[in-house]
Amino acid sequence: MQTGPYLPLFDFEVEHTFFPEGHCANALKFVLTPKSAALLQRSGFLARASDAGVAVLADSVRFEALSMIARDTEEPFHLTWLAYAAEPLFGNYTEGLVYPPEGLPVFDSDSAVADGTTGRWRLQREAHVSAADARPLDDETVVQALSGQRVPPLFIVTLRLGVMSTGTPGAGATGAGAPDAGSQPQPKRYVLRFAARAAVWKYWLIGDWRDSEPQVVDPDGQADFLQAQDATLPDGRQALTIRSAAPIAIFRRSPYRFQLRGRAGLGERLLVKRLPVAGTAQLAREPRALGGSLVSEIYVHR
C-alpha cells in the first residue's frame, strides 16, 4: 500500500492478548541500534512507528538505489531494533519473556514462518512468545545488538529486505534510470504475538465474613475456586482467603464477573455481585515451599 511518495518494504506488527484491541506497540519503544540507524539514514529509507508496529518504506522514485541495495549479497540490508517498555508494567502482564542473565528473546525474519491465511510471517517460534525464543547473552547476535547499550532491552527484532519482484509498478516507480521498468519491492509483513500472563487469583476477605461461609463463583463457568481458608494478615488480624483452582489470565479489560456467594439459612445469598479483578501491579511469586505459583492478591473488605 502506497503512503504518499513512499512504498512499503517490510513491516512488523506487535499483538498482545492483554489489550482489548490486540495491538500493543504503544506499550513499547523501538530503538534502532546505532549501526542500523546509520544504515537507514544512508539508504534514504524511512522507518515509521504506529500503534500497530513499525514499517520501513522507500521513496517510490528512487528504485535504482533500492534495486542496488536489494541485490547486495555481500552485505544484505537489515535493520535491528531494541524493544523497551514504554509501560513500566509491560513485563508484569506479559508471558514468555526471558531476562538477563538467563538470556533475551531474539526475533529474526530469517526464521519467520508463514502465518496461515493472514498473509503475514510469524516471528516467534510458537503461537505466542515463549522461552523458546530466547538466546544466551553470549550469542553473537545478542552481543552485536547490545554493543554500547547500558540498559538491556526486553527483546531484539531483526528484519531483512526482501527480493525485488517484477510486476505492475506503483505510482512513481518508473522513470529514467530505473533498473527494470516493472520492478518493485516485494513487501514482507511480519507479526509478533504476546500472550497475557496468568496467575492464581487469591481473594483476601477482610472483616466479618466467616459466618456467611463465603465462596467465589463464576456464573459463566470459566473458572473454579477452592474453599475458603483461614489466614492471618501482617498486622495479626484474622481473615479468609479463596484461591482460584488454576491460574487465570489477566487482561486490561477483564471479561470475568466473579461473584461472592454465601449461606443464608438453608439457602444461598449473593454477598458481592461482582468481585474486583486481578491487576497487573499486585503480582508476586510464592515461595517454592508453597508451590512457587505466580499469585495476584485481591482484597475485599466488609
Side-chain angles (χ1 to χ4, degrees):
M1 179 177 180
Q2 186 168 338
T3 305
Y6 289 91
L7 293 174
L9 297 180
F10 51 81
D11 68 73
F12 67 96
E13 290 189 351
V14 188
E15 299 178 358
H16 202 309
T17 60
F18 175 78
F19 295 89
E21 66 280 5
H23 291 139
C24 75
N26 286 342
L28 296 164
K29 179 181 179 181
F30 293 97
V31 179
L32 284 168
T33 63
K35 182 178 179 180
S36 291
L39 179 60
L40 182 70
Q41 185 175 18
R42 291 198 307 271
S43 69
F45 297 162
L46 174 67
R48 181 173 295 169
S50 70
D51 60 349
V54 177
V56 176
L57 308 101
D59 192 326
S60 58
V61 299
R62 296 186 61 196
F63 269 9
E64 182 176 3
L66 172 58
S67 179
M68 292 176 60
I69 293 172
R71 290 182 170 88
D72 187 348
T73 57
E74 293 186 3
E75 190 176 357
F77 182 89
H78 69 277
L79 298 175
T80 297
W81 286 267
L82 307 180
Y84 296 91
E87 285 192 3
L89 296 178
F90 184 88
N92 279 30
Y93 56 72
T94 302
E95 185 62 49
L97 291 176
V98 176
Y99 301 92
E102 284 75 20
L104 277 175
V106 176
F107 308 99
D108 194 311
S109 59
D110 275 354
S111 303
V113 296
D115 189 48
T117 59
T118 67
R120 288 191 171 271
W121 291 76
R122 193 184 75 221
L123 290 171
Q124 76 279 0
R125 293 191 179 187
E126 301 175 356
H128 296 96
V129 172
S130 69
D133 297 304
R135 297 190 190 179
L137 296 183
D138 59 359
D139 181 273
E140 185 61 27
T141 299
V142 177
V143 171
Q144 290 187 15
L146 299 187
S147 176
Q149 303 297 318
R150 295 183 178 181
V151 180
L154 289 175
F155 57 90
I156 301 167
V157 178
T158 296
L159 301 184
R160 305 172 194 280
L161 181 63
V163 299
M164 299 289 287
S165 65
T166 300
T168 304
T174 60
D180 296 300
S183 66
Q184 61 180 348
Q186 179 64 42
K188 205 71 172 287
R189 308 186 70 198
Y190 301 94
V191 62
L192 183 60
R193 294 194 178 97
F194 290 92
R197 211 170 186 183
V200 171
W201 290 29
K202 182 179 180 180
Y203 284 97
W204 282 82
L205 305 183
I206 302 171
D208 186 18
W209 297 99
R210 194 174 304 277
D211 292 341
S212 302
E213 298 180 7
Q215 58 181 340
V216 177
V217 176
D218 179 9
D220 298 321
Q222 299 181 69
D224 296 314
F225 287 82
L226 305 178
Q227 295 297 313
Q229 301 291 324
D230 291 325
T232 303
L233 292 164
D235 61 7
R237 287 182 295 162
Q238 295 301 301
L240 295 175
T241 59
I242 301 179
R243 298 165 58 102
S244 61
I248 301 172
I250 300 172
F251 301 109
R252 170 156 287 180
R253 295 179 189 169
S254 181
Y256 306 117
R257 51 191 189 101
F258 303 143
Q259 298 177 345
L260 188 66
R261 298 179 185 175
R263 179 176 58 80
L266 298 178
E268 182 182 83
R269 67 188 180 100
L270 188 63
L271 301 176
V272 179
K273 184 177 182 180
R274 190 158 189 168
L275 287 165
V277 297
T280 57
Q282 302 87 16
L283 296 175
R285 181 75 63 178
E286 288 186 324
R288 188 176 297 275
L290 298 177
S293 299
L294 186 67
V295 175
S296 177
E297 297 187 329
I298 311 160
Y299 295 87
V300 181
H301 295 264
R302 188 179 195 180

